[in-house]
Amino acid sequence: MKTITKWAFRVHGFLGLSTGLFFLILGLTGAVLLFRHDLDRALNPDIYHRSANGPVISADSAYRIIATAFPDLEKIVLHDFPLSSREPYEFMLYRTINGPADNHLGFAFVDAHTGAILRSGNYETLSRSFFRWTYALHYSFLLGRLGQAFVAALGILLLLTILSGLIVYRKHLLSVLLIKVPLHKNGRRLYSSWHRVVGVWSALLNLVLLVTGVWMNLPAFQELFSAETAAPHVHGSFASKTDLDKLLDYCKTRSPGFHPIAINIPKNNDSPILVRGQLSSTSFPLFGGKASHFSFDASTGACLSILDIDRADSSKKISWAVYQLHIGAFGGYALRIFYALIGLTPALLALTGFVLWTRRNKRQKTKLQNRRLEI
């Protein structure tokens, strides 16, 4: 068992020190994204707090403006409806990618009254939108599918770091959980105590965050190593799509109380339009948001199917629950603050671990020098 502990200690130290900076970035960007909705509106009044003069244009009208301005996209998503008459329509724009490190996401805001495009840009351009740049940094380090695969690999390394740490500190787990470990005021034990306590108490939620993060980014591995590297030729036109407002009316008539959140409009005529949102019957917190959808023929507007997340197969339920668990969207501000603090603990552990490592090396060098002097 001593050999296992020794190897676990080495693995724990090496992984913690080598990945600490990356987890600092992931923790900080993740914390910001938890409050993006509120911060974005507070810091961008020119986008979200405009004068409310005249009637609000329809969702279909806003979409046609974007389709005309950006005809070469693969997909357009009406990402956010205006929450008030002063807010814009927000669209997510999917571009064609030519390489594994290319970013495919763009955005555009349309004034809900005038139809003017207020701002547009790519997610990887910091000057266009800090919060969308932060999103791309968090999920892919601004490196497209290659970056997503790297983030998934980091999650696996953090899993190994946590497991090796639990092996190293296994004899102290119960005392830590029962809050019997003193947080010493000074000296080497200060960092050792904090490292142990923070590591054990944050382990469970960090496991949740990393497993869900890896799960979400696993498809990037499949796409990255897929034999089909060339982008498929898309047959279709955004201009030929059916009226989006009629689709929204159908959803609300077919399912009273349905709350539409987003509309996915692919350029490909063979792919359906999805009106995504929450059904009034959905009550389980992890199935909230845009987990359910109505599927429509892109040309005729005929309803093809309805996906009720409560009645979906296990894989869809698990995938959506994993997503909700990762982004903390199933609770209020208290949960998001808790998520933000836990998300920063890997960086704190790397910092305290680095201090412990440097002090340990210093003591070993001192001992070695003393031995040489004795000889």
Side-chain angles (χ1 to χ4, degrees):
M1 197 64 187
K2 290 184 178 180
T3 302
I4 295 177
T5 303
K6 185 177 180 181
W7 276 103
F9 182 82
R10 291 178 177 176
V11 170
H12 184 74
F14 173 76
L15 292 179
L17 293 172
S18 60
T19 60
L21 177 60
F22 296 110
F23 285 113
L24 174 62
I25 295 172
L26 292 175
L28 289 174
T29 53
V32 169
L33 291 174
L34 285 165
F35 304 96
R36 180 194 69 83
H37 182 87
D38 302 289
L39 293 173
D40 205 6
R41 282 159 173 76
L43 298 176
N44 293 285
D46 59 319
I47 296 293
Y48 291 103
H49 302 284
R50 300 181 63 78
S51 60
N53 297 324
V56 174
I57 63 174
S58 67
D60 188 74
S61 297
Y63 158 69
R64 302 294 168 184
I65 292 168
I66 293 297
T68 301
F70 305 96
D72 297 327
L73 301 171
E74 286 190 351
K75 183 169 68 174
I76 297 174
V77 175
L78 203 174
H79 190 263
D80 282 317
F81 289 85
L83 297 181
S84 72
S85 60
R86 302 183 66 185
E87 290 198 1
Y89 288 96
E90 180 180 349
F91 289 86
M92 184 178 283
L93 315 178
Y94 286 74
R95 305 172 308 201
T96 301
I97 56 176
N98 300 311
D102 288 346
N103 288 282
H104 67 285
L105 287 180
F107 68 91
F109 295 99
V110 175
D111 188 289
H113 297 278
T114 66
I117 297 178
L118 303 174
R119 190 186 300 174
S120 64
N122 301 324
Y123 271 54
E124 69 269 24
T125 305
L126 176 59
S127 61
R128 301 306 298 164
S129 173
F130 170 77
F131 293 103
R132 283 143 197 85
W133 176 85
T134 301
Y135 176 92
L137 180 63
H138 182 78
Y139 283 103
S140 68
F141 283 105
L142 308 175
L143 292 173
R145 291 194 304 260
L146 187 63
Q148 284 183 275
F150 178 64
V151 171
L154 280 176
I156 295 173
L157 293 180
L158 179 56
L159 173 61
L160 295 175
T161 305
I162 293 175
L163 293 178
S164 59
L166 292 176
I167 293 174
V168 172
Y169 295 111
R170 66 188 182 280
K171 295 181 180 180
H172 305 279
L173 293 179
L174 185 59
S175 59
V176 171
L177 293 174
L178 295 177
I179 319 179
K180 292 183 178 180
V181 175
L183 297 177
H184 297 274
K185 295 182 180 180
N186 51 48
R188 181 177 61 86
R189 291 185 177 182
L190 170 67
Y191 297 99
S192 178
S193 299
W194 274 102
H195 190 83
R196 188 180 305 166
V197 171
V198 172
V200 171
W201 275 99
S202 64
L204 180 59
L205 187 54
N206 272 320
L207 283 172
V208 171
L209 291 175
L210 74 92
V211 169
T212 54
V214 170
W215 179 287
M216 291 164 57
N217 278 342
L218 278 180
F221 282 104
Q222 182 180 358
E223 295 174 2
L224 192 61
F225 299 106
S226 173
E228 299 181 8
T229 55
H233 183 68
V234 176
H235 299 279
S237 168
F238 288 119
S240 65
K241 305 305 180 188
T242 189
D243 190 306
L244 299 186
D245 295 307
K246 291 182 179 179
L247 305 187
L248 289 170
D249 290 340
Y250 177 90
C251 295
K252 295 175 182 178
T253 302
R254 178 69 181 270
S255 181
F258 174 71
H259 174 56
I261 298 175
I263 306 177
N264 293 15
I265 311 110
K267 188 174 186 179
N268 193 340
N269 285 337
D270 297 328
S271 300
I273 293 175
L274 302 181
V275 179
R276 304 176 64 191
Q278 184 167 335
L279 296 167
S280 59
S281 58
T282 302
S283 58
F284 184 51
L286 293 182
F287 291 164
K290 48 190 176 183
S292 301
H293 69 247
F294 289 77
S295 176
F296 296 94
D297 184 280
S299 300
T300 66
C303 183
L304 303 175
S305 62
I306 302 174
L307 173 67
D308 181 347
I309 190 62
D310 288 320
R311 301 178 181 178
D313 58 52
S314 298
S315 64
K316 289 185 173 62
K317 288 181 177 179
I318 292 173
S319 293
W320 189 255
V322 162
Y323 174 74
Q324 292 287 85
L325 272 173
H326 188 78
I327 65 173
F330 57 95
Y333 285 106
L335 178 67
R336 279 184 263 174
I337 292 172
F338 180 61
Y339 258 55
L341 293 175
I342 294 298
L344 292 172
T345 55
L348 175 62
L349 292 169
L351 176 61
T352 54
F354 176 75
V355 173
L356 292 172
W357 177 78
T358 54
R359 292 190 172 188
R360 182 171 179 268
N361 279 359
K362 186 177 180 179
R363 290 197 306 273
Q364 289 178 340
K365 288 180 180 179
T366 302
K367 288 181 180 179
L368 183 59
Q369 289 175 353
N370 291 337
R371 288 177 184 176
R372 289 176 177 175
L373 291 174
E374 291 174 359
I375 294 174

